[in-house]
Amino acid sequence: MSFSNWILYLGTIVLLMAAPGPGPLLTLSHGAQHGARGGIPNALGFSAGALLLMALSALGISALLFASPTAFNIVKLLGAGYLVWLGITLWRKPFALGGEQAGAASRLWSGFRPAFLLAVSNPEDTVFFSALLPRFLEPERALWPQYLTMAATWVVADLVIAVLLAAAGGRLGTWLAHGQRLKRFSRTSGGLFVIAGLMLAAVQR
């Protein structure tokens, strides 16, 4: 992969990762509970989901899923349902601050699991890895080293952005610790997840 092509790929995925949406909102919410370190489990979850989709893309499986309207709609509805479920969960049971007192394993799993599920059930990511990712490949070069380069770049970029978002969420958590702000933030976040899920369900390919 040439340097100019790598820069283009890096800029594209950074915009994709940082664009307002369920992923950044999830990291902000987790950061409000656990601080900057709370972004690491989220980054691991998002990266694991992305690497799975990337591997499927390399094997040609994601292209087949993307070509099938039925498969695409199934992935879309799964993603929409998961977003709605996250939103209802936040609305009914607002998260609590002071998560640092929880065990490290519990903290890791609570951040990793929703991020991974969100990544693999998001049809936008499926579209990216099946339709756009191959555009960055250079056919005259060996493909597997390019896939490895893109995978490593994705993981590092995801980790940096998630930690920055979680750090911002940590600062937000300090402000949320007063009065009814935490409850309002949880319900607002939950409502945004539900809206995102309903919008996703209405998307036509």
Side-chain angles (χ1 to χ4, degrees):
M1 174 179 282
S2 64
F3 181 74
S4 60
N5 200 31
W6 178 78
I7 288 295
L8 180 61
Y9 168 74
L10 177 62
T12 301
I13 65 173
V14 166
L15 289 175
L16 182 66
M17 294 172 182
L25 178 59
L26 181 66
T27 304
L28 279 172
S29 299
H30 204 70
Q33 300 176 77
H34 305 296
R37 285 184 293 178
I40 297 177
N42 281 123
L44 294 175
F46 286 130
S47 294
L51 292 178
L52 174 60
L53 293 176
M54 193 177 294
L56 294 176
S57 174
L59 295 172
I61 297 175
S62 62
L64 294 176
L65 292 175
F66 179 64
S68 168
T70 301
F72 180 85
N73 285 330
I74 290 174
V75 173
K76 179 186 73 173
L77 292 176
L78 286 174
Y82 184 63
L83 286 174
V84 171
W85 179 81
L86 279 177
I88 293 174
T89 300
L90 268 177
W91 184 277
R92 296 181 60 187
K93 186 180 179 181
F95 62 74
L97 297 178
E100 293 299 333
Q101 297 175 357
S106 175
R107 212 164 45 239
L108 175 64
W109 180 244
S110 68
F112 179 91
R113 179 182 58 184
F116 176 79
L117 293 175
L118 189 60
V120 298
S121 63
N122 187 352
E124 292 181 359
D125 288 348
T126 304
V127 170
F128 175 80
F129 285 109
S130 61
L132 295 181
L133 186 68
R135 302 294 188 270
F136 295 101
L137 295 172
E138 299 171 358
E140 67 277 8
R141 300 173 184 262
L143 294 181
W144 284 107
Q146 295 183 75
Y147 271 111
L148 292 176
T149 299
M150 289 191 290
T153 302
W154 184 286
V155 171
V156 173
D158 209 359
L159 181 62
V160 171
I161 291 175
V163 169
L164 290 175
L165 286 171
R171 290 183 176 273
L172 182 64
T174 303
W175 180 78
L176 290 173
H178 303 282
Q180 296 295 312
R181 294 171 180 171
L182 180 60
K183 182 177 180 179
R184 292 169 185 166
F185 177 76
S186 291
R187 291 195 167 183
T188 300
S189 299
L192 290 174
F193 275 119
V194 171
I195 291 172
L198 295 177
M199 291 177 63
L200 178 59
V203 167
Q204 298 297 322
R205 196 180 62 175

